[in-house]
Amino acid sequence: MSEVPTDGAERVGFFTDTSVCIGCKACEVACKEWNAIPEDGLSLTGMSYDNTEALGASTWRHVAFIEQPRPDGRTELPLAAEQSTPSPSPSSEEEGGDMRWLMSSDVCKHCTHAACLDVCPTGSLFRTEFGTVVVQEDICNGCGYCVPACPYGVIEQRPADGRAFKCTMCYDRLGAGQEPACAKACPTESIQFGPLDELRERAALRVDELHEAGVPEARLYGHDPEDGVGGDGAFFLLLDDPEVYGLPPHPVVTTRDLPAMWKHAGAAAVSLLGGVALSFALSGRGRR
């Protein structure tokens, strides 16, 4: 399985605190502008204010909008101590005080054990010195093996030429010492960028803060190095179960069992060849 190399630059990533996301889509716009990503349609789904539905070849950042009843009748969420932005949640009954919006800016997880890297036959997908996973579009042959390999359904092929595309965490900006465009554009610091270990510590403190403030449902997703993908380079603070946000509850690297499968296949092949050799030996002895 593909793993993050131990040498090179410090591993960086994203921590997305959904409790302060206001759904402004500044991250989507900044991502498209910087990376020159084609527009992906402006047709509303009819289910929410979401016009992109999911991550894809032309949607490297996707802001989810989930409307649900407020737990325990709360009217708004407490903000982090350093936050000065007003809560996006409406507090009056006229504005829908008994309901709340869960908003989250989704992105490629840049997994520690990245199955997309394992299955790519051309080396188009590679691990950078920052620990991120990038697709080289000029090397991609459009085979599509990476699409079903991703446990999050992030990678997609563009219909025009069949090549795969996804978030690069603005690899060109990282090389110039800049933060990714989406994090730079986020007005509430919902998307935080930096050294991954530092972000994990910051995220744990934020969860404790929310728990103490009476938000017991706050939890982290993708932060654990012991999970099925070895931890994500882009992880989240959620206010409900992962499934509510369209995330798999227990992601597992899809190539995890490949070594064992090849081992069993090899043993079966050896047994078959042994059986064929034995049959030839017996038939030759019978002719005598």
Side-chain angles (χ1 to χ4, degrees):
M1 295 185 297
S2 169
E3 296 187 15
V4 176
T6 56
D7 55 349
E10 185 176 24
R11 187 180 183 187
V12 297
F14 288 127
F15 163 48
T16 301
D17 182 352
T18 69
S19 69
V20 293
C21 177
I22 59 175
C24 67
K25 288 181 175 281
C27 55
E28 287 191 17
V29 174
C31 177
K32 279 187 174 293
E33 287 186 343
W34 181 264
N35 295 290
I37 303 173
E39 68 92 17
D40 42 15
L42 298 174
S43 301
L44 293 176
T45 64
M47 301 299 294
S48 75
Y49 296 108
D50 183 359
N51 69 297
T52 49
E53 297 187 67
L55 294 172
S58 297
T59 306
W60 298 359
R61 269 281 179 186
H62 168 246
V63 179
F65 290 74
I66 301 104
E67 187 178 17
Q68 64 173 207
R70 296 183 187 280
D72 305 323
R74 286 199 305 268
T75 58
E76 60 182 32
L77 289 172
L79 296 176
E82 69 275 12
Q83 293 282 352
S84 59
T85 306
S87 170
S89 305
S91 58
S92 66
E93 185 174 349
E94 292 77 15
E95 294 175 336
D98 59 342
M99 302 294 290
R100 72 172 179 178
W101 284 103
L102 297 182
M103 300 173 184
S104 174
S105 180
D106 197 9
V107 71
C108 170
K109 312 308 181 290
H110 296 274
C111 310
T112 299
H113 303 312
C116 57
L117 291 177
D118 294 333
V119 301
C120 181
T122 66
S124 172
L125 279 147
F126 74 100
R127 178 85 64 181
T128 74
E129 66 271 29
F130 303 104
T132 59
V133 179
V134 173
V135 182
Q136 300 175 94
E137 57 188 71
D138 57 332
I139 300 178
C140 178
N141 67 356
C143 68
Y145 293 164
C146 57
V147 176
C150 177
Y152 297 102
V154 166
I155 308 179
E156 185 184 46
Q157 295 170 272
R158 285 186 186 160
D161 59 12
R163 291 180 299 169
F165 293 85
K166 72 171 194 66
C167 163
T168 66
M169 206 178 283
C170 289
Y171 182 43
D172 53 343
R173 292 176 65 92
L174 298 188
Q178 299 177 311
E179 63 181 325
C182 56
K184 183 73 173 178
C186 182
T188 64
E189 296 184 5
S190 171
I191 302 173
Q192 301 177 34
F193 169 79
L196 195 56
D197 291 338
E198 179 184 318
L199 291 177
R200 286 170 176 164
E201 293 178 4
R202 191 185 308 170
L205 293 174
R206 175 59 174 157
V207 170
D208 291 342
E209 181 183 62
L210 288 173
H211 287 174
E212 292 174 3
V215 189
E217 64 271 23
R219 84 283 307 267
L220 295 179
Y221 177 85
H223 69 297
D224 186 4
E226 301 300 321
D227 67 13
V229 294
D232 293 326
F235 65 100
F236 304 79
L237 185 154
L238 304 180
L239 298 177
D240 209 323
D241 294 330
E243 301 94 315
V244 174
Y245 295 85
L247 297 169
H250 304 291
V252 174
V253 58
T254 53
T255 54
R256 177 191 60 182
D257 299 324
L258 278 182
M261 293 169 63
W262 282 114
K263 181 179 179 181
H264 292 311
V270 170
S271 299
L272 179 61
L273 290 174
V276 171
L278 180 61
S279 65
F280 273 111
L282 292 176
S283 63
R285 184 178 301 175
R287 293 193 188 98
R288 294 175 188 169

